[in-house]
Amino acid sequence: FIYFGFVLLLFSCGTQQDNGTQAVQTPERSVVQKHTNPIPISKIAQKKVEDWKQYEELNDFIQKFDAISPNEALSNARGLNVLIESLNDSIQPDFVKSNAFNARVNLLYNETLRLYDMSTISSIKADEVNNQVEKILAAYSSMNSKISSIVQQQLLDREVKDSKFDKVLFPKDTT
């Protein structure tokens, strides 16, 4: 009986073959998601903001969010929120001091606050985090578009002011 049990044990162990190719499943929140690239500011506007340290720090940091996993996005949420807050509180260049620009910065700040709040929710789903990252990148793109349009408007105003066309249409009062 002992010999028979030993042979049975050997055959039962030998029927299962493991080739070591088991699929390793990664958690859904650890999968890196490629997001929409934010709209950059124009080259002319880039020259105007090159001395604005807080904007440059934000621009460098937000590039991490182009391809990021939900777990990484949640762990970087506080840092992003702090950078937006310092951008809002910083001494901004004169050309961006407008209500329209401030509204875009506030929207971006609120979206980063929402992502930061998500980091405290344990049952948050990966697609919800990815959607929030998309909203943040869209708000950042909107802010960049506003910076570019403000600079472009200033250039157009200067061209119109300096053009001969302006002098013909609006001659200075010579009296």
Side-chain angles (χ1 to χ4, degrees), residues 62 80 108 111-112 115 132-141:
I62 210 153
L80 181 61
L108 181 58
E111 295 297 344
T112 60
L115 183 66
Q132 190 61 34
V133 169
E134 285 291 333
K135 288 179 183 179
I136 289 170
L137 293 175
Y140 180 71
S141 293

Side-chain angles (χ1 to χ4, degrees), residues 17 22 26 34 38 40 61 71 73 100 118 121 132 144 156 175:
Q17 291 183 345
Q22 292 180 350
T26 56
K34 179 78 174 125
F61 192 81
N71 281 338
M118 287 177 151
I121 302 170
Q132 190 61 34
N144 282 346
L156 290 174
T175 58

Side-chain angles (χ1 to χ4, degrees), residues 79-160:
L80 181 61
N81 187 259
V82 167
L83 284 173
I84 302 292
E85 192 172 10
S86 72
L87 177 86
N88 199 16
D89 294 340
S90 70
I91 298 173
Q92 299 172 345
D94 288 336
F95 73 94
V96 295
K97 291 183 178 176
S98 70
N99 290 336
F101 179 75
N102 289 337
R104 285 165 176 79
V105 173
N106 287 334
L107 174 66
L108 181 58
Y109 180 70
N110 289 336
E111 295 297 344
T112 60
L113 272 178
R114 173 71 180 124
L115 183 66
Y116 180 60
D117 287 344
M118 287 177 151
S119 66
T120 62
I121 302 170
S122 61
S123 63
I124 199 77
K125 295 182 179 144
D127 60 335
E128 293 171 334
V129 175
N130 288 330
N131 287 340
Q132 190 61 34
V133 169
E134 285 291 333
K135 288 179 183 179
I136 289 170
L137 293 175
Y140 180 71
S141 293
S142 175
M143 185 183 77
N144 282 346
S145 294
K146 188 61 179 174
I147 291 172
S148 295
S149 66
I150 290 171
V151 171
Q152 187 65 33
Q153 182 65 44
Q154 288 177 342
L155 288 174
L156 290 174
D157 288 347
R158 189 176 309 130
E159 283 181 20
V160 167

Side-chain angles (χ1 to χ4, degrees), residues 60-75:
D60 292 341
F61 192 81
I62 210 153
Q63 289 176 1
K64 294 179 185 179
F65 286 81
D66 290 347
I68 195 167
S69 71
N71 281 338
E72 290 176 42
L74 292 173
S75 67

Side-chain angles (χ1 to χ4, degrees), residues 24-32 69-71 126:
V24 177
Q25 285 196 323
T26 56
E28 197 176 323
R29 287 177 40 170
S30 296
V31 176
V32 173
S69 71
N71 281 338

